[in-house]
Amino acid sequence: MCNRSRPPRAIVICFAIFLASCERDEHSSPEQKAQGPSVLLITLDTTRADRIGAYGHEEASTPTIDKLAESGVLFKHAHCQVPLTLPSHASLMTGTYPVTNGVPVNGVALGTGVTTLAETFQKHGYRTGAFISALVMDSRYGLDRGFDEFNDNLGSTTVFERPANQTTDAALGWLSGVNEKPSFTWVHYFDPHSPHTPPAEFREKIEDPYDGEIAFVDSQIHRLVDWLEKNSMRSNTLIVIAGDHGEAFGEHGETEHGFFIYNTTTHVPLILSFPDYVTEGKTIETPVGLVDVFSTIVELLDWKDPDGLEGKSMVKLWQTDQAEHHPVYTESEYPRLGFGWAPLFSIIAGQWKFIDAPRGELFDRSKDPEEKTNAIEQNPMMASDLDAQLQAMKAKMIRRTKSTVASAASAVNDLEALGYVGGAASAVDSENSNPTARDPKDMVGVYEAHSKTVGALLAKRYAQVIETMTRLVRESPESDEFYNTLGRALLETGRYAEAQKAFEMSLRQSRTNPRRLWRLGDSLLRQKKVGDATAALKASLAIAPQFAEAHCSLGDAFASSGKEDQALKHFQLAVDASPDLARAHGRLGVALAKKKQFNEAIVHLRRYTELEPNSPHALTNLGNVLFQTKNLSDAVKFYERALQIDPRYTSAHMSLFRALLLSGKQREGILALKEARKAIPRSVDLTSRLAWLLATTTEDLQDPKEALDLAQRVVRARTPTSEDLATLAAAQAANGNFDAAIHSATQALSLANARQDTRASQRIRQQIQHYQAATLYRE
């Protein structure tokens, strides 16, 4: 029967348990009609406990969360197990520590060796739905296990998060379709994560933008609660609200989160509200962890704990006023896995918190909640005792699942766009810490400088990146990620040999990092070291066979060697692995066109333009294939669209005038070339093409004087090619100087013969014949 004792206030994980019935059947299965409550879980990303009204923040505008706290249990000292989004949720959703579940940092996919909360609900016959607000937790990372509906659709492949109102819309749409079968619903809000840009309404009335983001989320939680009330489900619903981690604003030298494990980034709101079944208005002072939520829900539902849970139920803390609970464990492997520095581990027991680091720290939580004073020298025995407890806890953690890096083409780029860099591949490669690694406290300034530099890299300020990273690799030569960042900037600025060396350095500690191997291969390919590039790219794909970017680059390597069939194969594999990778569709489309498979080519090139609608390269490539199929009017439209986006895109100009000429629109073709020269006055190729056209077109469009002026500019601007001299000859003949035309054409023929260009030689001989007869050569 249902337990009607009242639990504490709220948690920042809104677990809404819709109580369909007080009878619970442990043996229910998906085939049977489930018995028991439905559950709604709401998690608040990047939300500090001390910025919620119920936790004492006077400037807060969180009436919904505060009301939930009043009607339930509030855990005053709840902490995450890792101050990063994905691993924190992994601990919450599996009831295990990062060592056990294999997810210590973002970008690592959850393995199958642990049971998820959703799988447990599914096993008991529940409908399960999740509504995710950021790519950092999309289905690539394994938290979709056990969900019938895992809605991580952000609306576009170029969007990395969605606002709370859109996530709420999706959740309410699904909940509205829930039948009599009970459900477990998880709603994740990402808005408080940086950058802090609340909607205008909240920006105008709330001074602090971070508080504004939290207030906006609170308004969306209100929509969920209001829906429950209007549908007479609130009294039968357990709501758990939980923050996944906090946010630092310069405390201890850190901004944002993930690096340190001080309260600023680990202390989170945690509230349970379940009218008549959880004690109302109770505050729990005992420290707890998010890892404890799974066991708590299971006990509330009278189910048996799945094997292997490491968290402990918190129910007795409000049912019996029992103060005892297991110590709270938190870690940050990010300094080690991302940068080669020492990892951090902490334990909270009673009033004390101990941080295991090269220079350990001890804080008296009752006197120093901001953790400003290290009390380890005054309390060495306490520190030693807590350290022993911490090591004992760690010794019991045994990895039950193999870590894997999410290798989809955009995975790392998505994380970088959200402000996360480094660590994922190293989490797979290495489990051992360097005993001489430097203390993160000594490196926080370097870390912050690198974080800002990654922002500059994404903004394409490459010179700034190279200058800063050249300094940082000297300050921290053990940080492979620094060489990776430097290499990326060098690659983008054409310094391929230097980029190659940087990527080689970035692979010292992580030889199985597929993305760095890909970048190494790319730098080698751009130096035309095709053999070495191919080896690096094959090594990348041996580790991550579905790595679409590496397939694209390997296809480029084969194409540069004339191995078109193998190139086509890898471009197709890239599309198969990542259907929304624009580059893959572009490469495949061009490769198919070379095989004269124009219909298939057009399909992929159209998809390329859909994925990158503002890419003049994509539009021009599609136009070129349409040109080859004689669909000239459509080709012209795509060239013109490309030039609207980039008036200086030479390839589109050249293609446009050719399409116009082939359509019989010589006047428009000449005008198009003149417009091109205005946009790109220093383009010698455009100047040469215009000179040729003005010299060889019909008499009514011919301009001999301008043609000669332009042709002479070309031969002065560069060492003349056979085409340049043939153009000069045509312009000289158009001006009546046939002797000079014969001389220039003869020189052109000599160069064409030396190059064994049969087609050019044949045309130039025809020119000479015309000039010897004192007649003009026309195309």
Side-chain angles (χ1 to χ4, degrees):
M1 296 297 291
C2 291
N3 189 326
R4 294 182 177 270
S5 62
R6 296 177 177 271
R9 297 194 193 184
I11 306 179
V12 180
I13 290 179
C14 278
F15 262 105
I17 299 183
F18 302 75
L19 191 58
S21 167
C22 285
E23 295 295 330
R24 297 175 173 84
D25 180 2
E26 288 186 14
H27 305 292
S28 62
S29 69
E31 290 75 25
Q32 299 173 316
K33 184 175 180 180
Q35 302 278 322
S38 296
V39 177
L40 167 68
L41 163 65
I42 302 171
T43 57
L44 309 182
D45 212 291
T46 323
T47 302
R48 289 171 59 140
D50 62 5
R51 302 300 276 269
I52 302 295
Y55 283 83
H57 186 44
E58 295 181 358
E59 288 75 31
S61 181
T62 54
T64 306
I65 296 174
D66 298 345
K67 186 176 180 180
L68 289 170
E70 292 172 1
S71 66
V73 176
L74 180 146
F75 294 86
K76 189 174 181 180
H77 302 291
H79 290 262
C80 64
Q81 275 49 74
V82 185
L84 287 168
T85 297
L86 178 63
S88 180
H89 279 89
S91 285
L92 188 154
M93 298 296 275
T94 66
T96 61
Y97 295 115
V99 170
T100 301
N101 62 50
V103 186
V105 291
N106 289 320
V108 179
L110 180 70
T112 58
V114 291
T115 300
T116 69
L117 186 58
E119 287 174 320
T120 301
F121 275 100
Q122 201 172 59
K123 176 183 176 182
H124 284 82
Y126 279 60
R127 285 190 67 200
T128 53
F131 303 88
I132 307 303
S133 295
L135 282 174
V136 70
M137 287 203 304
D138 71 14
S139 59
R140 287 172 292 192
Y141 303 111
L143 290 181
D144 60 332
R145 288 199 348 246
F147 284 105
D148 304 323
E149 168 78 6
F150 192 84
N151 186 316
D152 57 359
N153 180 11
L154 306 186
S156 168
T157 58
T158 60
V159 174
F160 303 105
E161 59 178 290
R162 61 178 167 183
N165 59 304
Q166 292 181 13
T167 304
T168 305
D169 289 344
L172 289 176
W174 186 79
L175 285 170
S176 297
V178 171
N179 53 26
E180 294 181 1
K181 188 176 183 180
S183 64
F184 167 54
T185 309
W186 170 27
V187 180
H188 163 249
Y189 292 125
F190 195 72
D191 302 74
H193 195 284
S194 65
H196 304 128
T197 53
E201 173 189 351
F202 296 89
R203 192 164 56 245
E204 291 168 1
K205 68 180 184 181
I206 299 174
E207 182 177 355
D208 187 294
Y210 179 63
D211 285 347
E213 295 274 35
I214 296 173
F216 173 49
V217 168
D218 185 88
S219 73
Q220 298 306 305
I221 296 175
H222 172 75
R223 291 179 60 197
L224 293 172
V225 175
D226 185 60
W227 184 89
L228 294 175
E229 291 174 345
K230 288 180 178 178
N231 286 274
S232 302
M233 300 178 73
R234 177 63 189 99
S235 62
N236 294 327
T237 298
L238 165 67
I239 299 179
V240 182
I241 301 180
D244 68 340
H245 56 75
E247 183 83 327
F249 294 96
E251 300 94 335
H252 303 280
E254 181 183 17
T255 58
E256 300 190 16
H257 56 271
F259 193 67
F260 285 139
I261 48 177
Y262 297 113
N263 282 346
T264 50
T265 59
T266 68
H267 184 205
V268 295
L270 181 60
I271 297 167
L272 274 74
S273 176
F274 194 7
D276 296 329
Y277 297 93
V278 171
T279 305
E280 293 185 13
K282 186 152 188 171
T283 297
I284 301 299
E285 297 282 347
T286 305
V288 298
L290 295 183
V291 72
D292 300 323
V293 170
F294 193 145
S295 290
T296 302
I297 298 299
V298 168
E299 180 174 351
L300 280 171
L301 298 178
D302 290 342
W303 294 343
K304 180 181 177 182
D305 270 3
D307 293 337
L309 294 191
E310 293 173 311
K312 304 298 181 184
S313 173
M314 301 175 288
V315 171
K316 290 182 180 179
L317 294 179
W318 74 76
Q319 283 187 345
T320 65
D321 290 326
Q322 174 182 317
E324 292 184 6
H325 195 61
H326 67 157
V328 177
Y329 169 89
T330 299
E331 69 171 51
S332 176
E333 285 273 17
Y334 189 40
R336 177 178 77 88
L337 298 174
F339 309 100
W341 305 324
L344 299 171
F345 306 96
S346 75
I347 183 171
I348 296 175
Q351 75 182 70
W352 295 99
K353 175 177 177 179
F354 172 73
I355 298 179
D356 180 16
R359 296 195 312 281
E361 295 176 280
L362 181 69
F363 298 106
D364 186 338
R365 298 172 53 254
S366 64
K367 299 177 181 177
D368 185 20
E370 296 182 359
E371 300 173 328
K372 292 183 176 181
T373 304
N374 186 358
I376 198 166
E377 290 186 6
Q378 294 78 23
N379 301 275
M381 295 301 294
M382 177 58 68
S384 178
D385 177 61
L386 289 174
D387 188 19
Q389 291 185 54
L390 175 60
Q391 302 314 317
M393 288 185 73
K394 290 171 62 178
K396 294 178 182 178
M397 301 173 192
I398 300 174
R399 181 168 296 191
R400 297 204 302 269
T401 181
K402 180 176 173 56
S403 299
T404 57
V405 177
S407 60
S410 59
V412 173
N413 291 337
D414 296 342
L415 294 177
E416 289 169 346
L418 292 170
Y420 301 114
V421 295
S426 298
V428 177
D429 286 351
S430 172
E431 297 181 19
N432 299 316
S433 181
N434 177 4
T436 63
R438 291 196 269 187
D439 195 315
K441 294 188 288 295
D442 297 328
M443 306 307 294
V444 64
V446 175
Y447 164 75
E448 290 289 330
H450 176 255
S451 297
K452 291 182 175 64
T453 305
V454 170
L457 178 66
L458 297 175
K460 300 182 179 181
R461 298 195 298 271
Y462 300 124
Q464 175 187 340
V465 174
I466 292 169
E467 179 183 358
T468 302
M469 293 314 304
T470 300
R471 172 176 60 83
L472 293 185
V473 296
R474 288 197 300 265
E475 293 186 27
S476 184
E478 69 268 39
S479 299
D480 290 358
E481 184 63 31
F482 289 3
Y483 286 99
N484 181 48
T485 303
L486 174 61
R488 292 175 62 191
L490 291 167
L491 191 65
E492 293 294 340
T493 53
R495 295 164 64 172
Y496 303 134
E498 295 172 83
Q500 173 193 335
K501 293 179 182 178
F503 289 134
E504 288 171 344
M505 292 295 287
S506 78
L507 286 160
R508 292 170 304 170
Q509 303 299 323
S510 184
R511 296 301 303 178
T512 58
N513 186 317
R515 183 160 289 270
R516 292 180 189 173
L517 284 166
W518 161 60
R519 285 177 175 146
L520 173 61
D522 213 23
S523 66
L524 290 163
L525 188 59
R526 298 196 198 190
Q527 296 175 75
K528 303 190 185 305
K529 298 179 179 180
V530 178
D532 291 340
T534 300
L537 294 166
K538 285 183 176 179
S540 175
L541 288 167
I543 300 161
Q546 300 299 311
F547 188 8
E549 289 280 15
H551 278 298
C552 270
S553 293
L554 186 54
D556 289 339
F558 284 129
S560 69
S561 304
K563 300 176 181 178
E564 299 295 343
D565 289 340
Q566 288 173 276
L568 184 63
K569 170 188 172 183
H570 282 281
F571 294 144
Q572 182 64 62
L573 287 169
V575 169
D576 293 343
S578 186
D580 289 339
L581 180 61
R583 176 190 175 203
H585 286 283
R587 294 289 204 278
L588 181 56
V590 171
L592 287 166
K594 288 181 180 179
K595 293 285 188 179
K596 308 299 182 185
Q597 299 177 34
F598 295 121
N599 290 337
E600 295 92 333
I602 289 171
V603 168
H604 288 285
L605 290 171
R606 286 192 185 277
R607 181 59 179 151
Y608 185 16
T609 63
E610 292 169 359
L611 292 167
E612 292 192 2
N614 294 318
S615 167
H617 180 70
L619 293 165
T620 301
N621 276 354
L622 177 55
N624 288 343
V625 176
L626 292 169
F627 180 97
Q628 289 179 274
T629 59
K630 308 304 181 185
N631 192 344
L632 300 179
S633 60
D634 282 348
V636 167
K637 292 177 183 177
F638 282 103
Y639 297 143
E640 289 175 340
R641 279 178 57 190
L643 291 170
Q644 288 174 357
I645 295 167
D646 184 1
R648 295 175 55 82
Y649 195 63
T650 302
S651 179
H653 281 297
M654 299 290 277
S655 297
L656 175 61
F657 101 83
R658 282 197 297 267
L660 290 169
L661 291 184
L662 196 62
S663 302
K665 300 178 179 180
Q666 286 203 334
R667 185 181 301 278
E668 289 87 344
I670 292 172
L671 291 174
L673 272 183
K674 287 185 175 181
E675 286 299 314
R677 279 206 71 241
K678 288 181 182 178
I680 319 172
R682 294 186 180 181
S683 172
V684 180
D685 288 335
L686 285 174
T687 302
S688 180
R689 294 302 301 171
L690 181 57
W692 174 263
L693 200 57
L694 292 173
T696 61
T697 189
T698 57
E699 187 174 354
D700 60 320
L701 298 176
Q702 196 176 42
D703 189 337
K705 184 177 180 180
E706 184 178 1
L708 182 60
D709 176 60
L710 294 174
Q712 289 172 337
R713 290 188 187 188
V714 170
V715 297
R716 289 196 300 266
R718 66 186 179 192
T719 301
T721 64
S722 61
E723 290 81 2
D724 294 340
L725 291 170
T727 298
L728 178 60
Q732 290 166 333
N735 282 276
N737 191 345
F738 291 104
D739 289 339
I742 292 169
H743 176 72
S744 297
T746 302
Q747 289 181 304
L749 181 60
S750 177
L751 291 175
N753 287 337
R755 203 172 68 232
Q756 296 183 335
D757 189 338
T758 304
R759 187 175 179 181
S761 297
Q762 184 179 1
R763 192 198 70 221
I764 295 169
R765 287 193 187 95
Q766 292 175 354
Q767 282 184 257
I768 293 173
Q769 291 173 2
H770 276 279
Y771 303 153
Q772 288 172 339
T775 60
L776 299 179
Y777 175 84
R778 297 189 187 281
E779 283 197 325

